[in-house]
Amino acid sequence: EAIITLDHVVKEFHKRGGSGRQSGTSRAVDDVSLRVDRGDIFGIIGYSGAGKSTLVRMINALERPTSGTVSVLGTDITALGESKLRPIRQKIGMIFQQFNLFSTKTVSQNIAYPLQLDHWRKDYQERRVAELLDFVGLRDHADNYPSQLSGGQKQRVGIARALATNPQILLADEATSALDPETTDEVLALLKRVNEQFGITIVLITHQMSVVQNIANRVAVMSQGRVVEQGDVYDVFAAP
Ligand code: ADP
Ligand code: ADP
């Protein structure tokens, strides 16, 4: 069952000359069609500038395609207005390379933030945060600030915050790129548990082949805005 479908998606940006004058357009994403099935850990791999972030930003409608269509959870979101996007965005969690935690909030407050935005009752928020702290193994750090945490711990907070509202899809943008190899393995193991225990579909952008080989079941290889290969990880990376 398809949970995300991109059909001939193109995204062009206006190029700017040195003087600030417009000098044509460049294609960040060039005629990409792909399909992510429910339950996948779908890797999108490619060098810096290949168009991976732009692609993922179109999945939660932070960017709109120049042409083509994007469907998420059975809805064509290509031209959907902000109010109709809200319930879909609530089903999508996101984690980042630089974690994007609020430095003036504690671990618990960071995790509770999306619940607060959705006006959940205080007692539910507390219960949900406690559950998530246990899941990511940070109960003892509930009252710490991000600056008091290691990189791996920060990303575990990021994951807990992304899960707070029970999303069906988790988008991970270079989520392990700021971490050392050992911590990367820990975070990938946690993402695998997110996928297996909660059935959450994960779309994972990375420039690291090892990350895709470690946890993804399907992969799209991007180069210069195009998907040049797509399929089961085993087939795509199998020796010829
Ligand atoms: P990746 O995530 O694979 O590193 P990006 O999607 O960030 O690639 O970028 C793809 C291309 O699109 C790059 O050439 C980048 O400079 C360009 N690009 C991305 N975002 C913008 C933007 N907001 N305005 C202009 N160009 C952009
Ligand atoms: P700014 O707009 O100055 O970047 P924000 O307060 O909007 O600061 O957000 C700080 C960071 O936290 C941002 O990078 C944003 O992506 C992230 N963020 C904000 N709200 C949420 C949320 N509900 N769930 C997950 N991340 C969030």
Side-chain angles (χ1 to χ4, degrees), residues 96 100 102 113-114 117 161:
F96 309 90
N100 293 5
F102 300 101
Y113 182 74
L117 284 186
R161 181 179 62 181

Side-chain angles (χ1 to χ4, degrees), residues 1-17:
E1 186 202 354
I3 192 164
I4 300 167
T5 310
L6 278 73
D7 192 34
H8 295 289
V9 169
V10 171
K11 178 66 185 181
E12 291 179 342
F13 290 110
H14 293 296
K15 278 197 264 189
R16 296 204 173 269

Side-chain angles (χ1 to χ4, degrees), residues 28-43:
V29 171
D30 188 4
D31 194 22
V32 165
S33 297
L34 61 78
R35 169 192 164 137
V36 178
D37 285 324
R38 192 179 288 277
D40 275 348
I41 300 184
F42 194 103

